Structure formats: structure tokens, C-alpha cells
Amino acid sequence: MGVTTFFKNCIFMLSILILLSSFLLNCVMAGVYAVGDQDEWSSQTNYATWAEKYNFTLGDVLVFKYVKGQHNVYEVREETFRSCETSSGVLAKYESGEDQVVLNKVKKYWFICNIVGHCLGGMRFGIEVKNVTNSMDGGEINQQIQPSPLENSCISQRWRVIGMFIPFGTGLLLLLLFNFIFY
């Protein structure tokens, strides 16, 4: 194998590794939060208290789990949140029972359940989404509380996608790299 071929192969393998790394890094930066933690999206949870436990940042994902038909999720404006009246101010409706909402803007988000009596009964909360910062406040590191682990979290989903591109796992990738370098 000539020197030129060797360098081309190395550049190719390095490109693949950089692509895979950037694919995973984007996921690591975002948190996945199960709304209500173990209680999920139900009428037994104090969502104001739940929301105060976390620092939500751009790119995070809220996962609303509930029994389809018993609950729903509406993203609304603040006025609609306060009144629980959904004749106006509804930004998005989710009704699947396993809804994922990507927090893709720096702003205040407001969520309610629109089943009769649920919003007024407490199934509502607001959060403020901020830009990701690594700054220190008063000498202390601003650490984000870890979100509830989810089976379908961003990281596990991305590994499934990577697995489709590398059907035999990373062992094959390492074998190819070894082959290009030493042969």
C-alpha cells in the first residue's frame, strides 16, 4: 500500500470518528426530562415543585407520559396558562400518551392538561429555558440536576442509529482501522 493510499484511508477513518463523535456530543449536551419523574403526567403531582428542581436549557427534551385519552398536553401562552381557558392561546397540542417536546427556543414555556378540571386542579406548569452556559456563579459551579433516566433517551436512540450504519459494531470499525494502518 502506498503512502498516499494510507493517508487517504486514515483521513477517511478519522472523518467517520469525528462524525460519530459530533453526533453523540449533541445528545450529551441536551437533557431528557420525564415530566413528573416517576409520577409521570398525572393529576397527583405538584408540577410547580417538579419544575423548580431543574435548570432547563436550549435543546432539552420534555417527555410527557400518560394514559392516552385520560390526559393531554397543550403548550399555551401565559394568559391561557393562568386562566386554563383554551379558546385562544394554544401553541401546540399533544395527545399520544408519550409526547416529546424539544425546547428549541430560549423563552418561557407554559404547559397544561386540557381535560376538564385538570388544569384548574394543578396539571399545569411553566418553565424558563435558558442558553447553555458553563459560567460560575459566586465561585460555585452551576450544575444541572440529572434528569430521570429514560429507556428511549437521546443517547440510546443515537446508538441505535449508529448501529444501523455499523451493523457489526465498533469491533468491525476497529478491525478496518487496524487493517488500513498495518497492511
Side-chain angles (χ1 to χ4, degrees):
M1 175 186 305
V3 174
T4 305
T5 306
F6 171 76
F7 283 116
K8 284 181 184 179
N9 290 332
C10 286
I11 290 171
F12 173 73
M13 295 306 289
L14 186 59
S15 299
I16 288 174
L17 290 173
I18 289 171
L19 179 66
L20 292 175
S21 298
S22 66
F23 191 61
L24 289 172
L25 182 59
N26 181 36
C27 181
V28 172
M29 301 287 283
V32 179
Y33 298 88
V35 175
D37 295 327
Q38 297 84 359
D39 295 332
E40 300 178 343
W41 184 236
S42 70
S43 53
Q44 274 63 49
T45 303
N46 181 330
Y47 292 99
T49 302
W50 173 83
E52 289 174 359
K53 294 190 305 184
Y54 302 104
N55 296 314
F56 300 100
T57 56
L58 191 63
D60 286 349
V61 178
L62 298 181
V63 178
F64 292 84
K65 287 189 174 190
Y66 56 91
V67 177
K68 185 178 179 177
Q70 289 184 6
H71 300 291
N72 58 34
V73 180
Y74 280 26
E75 181 185 344
V76 297
R77 291 193 167 94
E78 184 177 3
E79 300 78 30
T80 305
F81 167 81
R82 296 201 183 284
S83 68
C84 291
E85 173 54 51
T86 58
S87 60
S88 67
V90 176
L91 303 174
K93 296 179 183 180
Y94 304 95
E95 299 174 335
S96 74
E98 209 166 306
D99 306 310
Q100 295 188 16
V101 178
V102 178
L103 306 174
N104 57 10
K105 292 182 181 176
V106 175
K107 67 173 194 170
K108 286 192 176 187
Y109 285 82
W110 305 95
F111 298 98
I112 67 170
C113 178
N114 193 45
I115 302 296
V116 176
H118 290 195
C119 179
L120 289 173
M123 279 190 77
R124 59 182 170 167
F125 68 97
I127 59 171
E128 184 172 358
V129 174
K130 299 179 181 179
N131 272 324
V132 178
T133 61
N134 293 328
S135 63
M136 293 190 180
D137 298 322
E140 296 180 35
I141 297 175
N142 184 10
Q143 293 183 347
Q144 180 173 327
I145 298 173
Q146 292 300 311
S148 303
L150 294 175
E151 185 176 294
N152 63 346
S153 70
C154 183
I155 293 173
S156 64
Q157 288 175 1
R158 294 200 184 208
W159 275 115
R160 277 186 238 132
V161 171
I162 291 170
M164 290 188 307
F165 291 107
I166 308 173
F168 302 108
T170 55
L172 180 62
L173 184 64
L174 292 174
L175 183 62
L176 289 171
L177 182 61
F178 181 81
N179 187 36
F180 284 131
I181 292 174
F182 295 106
Y183 293 104

